[in-house]
Amino acid sequence: MRRVTASAALGLALLLAPAGTALADDDVTPLDPGITALDPSITPLAPSITPLETITTEDSRTEITLSSDILFDFGSAELDAPAAARIGELVAEIPQGAEVAVDGHTDSVPYARGNQVLSEERARAVADAIAASRPDLRLTVTGYGETRPVAAEEVDGRDDPAGRAQNRRVEIRYDG
């Protein structure tokens, strides 16, 4: 959403007014004084940018789902430093000494070394990032390969890349 200052609105009105037309003060509606201008150095996220994580809480159980497409290159289980740092931020609020499950998942597209192996390696990479920032947590690491999809990978008999992307994930679960 773009906000326009009163002076910018007046300038725009002057540009759009027919030549020789004078604008009276009542031709320009001032902005609500409660509205503050946005910092021009902040760039809003494009609607097409997918967040790294989604966080859901049900009762006392929290699940952080990390998008593998953002964390890892194709066929890779290596995290870069910014991703590891973000994972550290995400687990900062987990209660001291909590038991945390880290589960890796893939889509059903065959992978050279096997989807099971890839899911285990990715879960282990996320668990290593968690352990680096929170050594007090007790981690259980599991890879499920393609066995627990959360979305259909075909719709009406056609490949659904969005569904496959949802299935490529690492989940972090804990109570508290």
Side-chain angles (χ1 to χ4, degrees), residues 3 10 15 20 29 37-38 53 57-58 61 65 80 83 95 102 111 114 137 145 149 151 156 163 176:
R3 299 187 193 254
L10 179 58
L15 286 173
T29 305
L38 293 176
E53 78 280 344
T57 303
E58 188 174 311
R61 187 91 166 151
T65 302
D80 62 18
V102 181
Y111 170 64
L137 300 176
D156 296 327

Side-chain angles (χ1 to χ4, degrees), residues 19-109:
T21 303
L23 292 176
D25 286 339
D26 60 344
D27 289 333
V28 177
T29 305
L31 290 179
D32 179 339
I35 296 175
T36 57
L38 293 176
D39 182 340
S41 67
I42 296 174
T43 304
L45 288 177
S48 62
I49 294 177
T50 304
L52 168 65
E53 78 280 344
T54 56
I55 302 172
T56 55
T57 303
E58 188 174 311
D59 298 322
S60 66
R61 187 91 166 151
T62 299
E63 182 175 292
I64 303 169
T65 302
L66 304 172
S67 171
S68 289
D69 289 355
I70 296 171
L71 285 177
F72 305 105
D73 288 334
F74 178 79
S76 172
E78 290 185 38
L79 286 174
D80 62 18
R86 179 65 182 138
I87 291 168
E89 292 169 6
L90 289 169
V91 300
E93 300 299 319
I94 295 178
Q96 183 77 20
E99 291 186 26
V100 178
V102 181
D103 299 333
H105 303 271
T106 66
D107 61 21
S108 65
V109 174

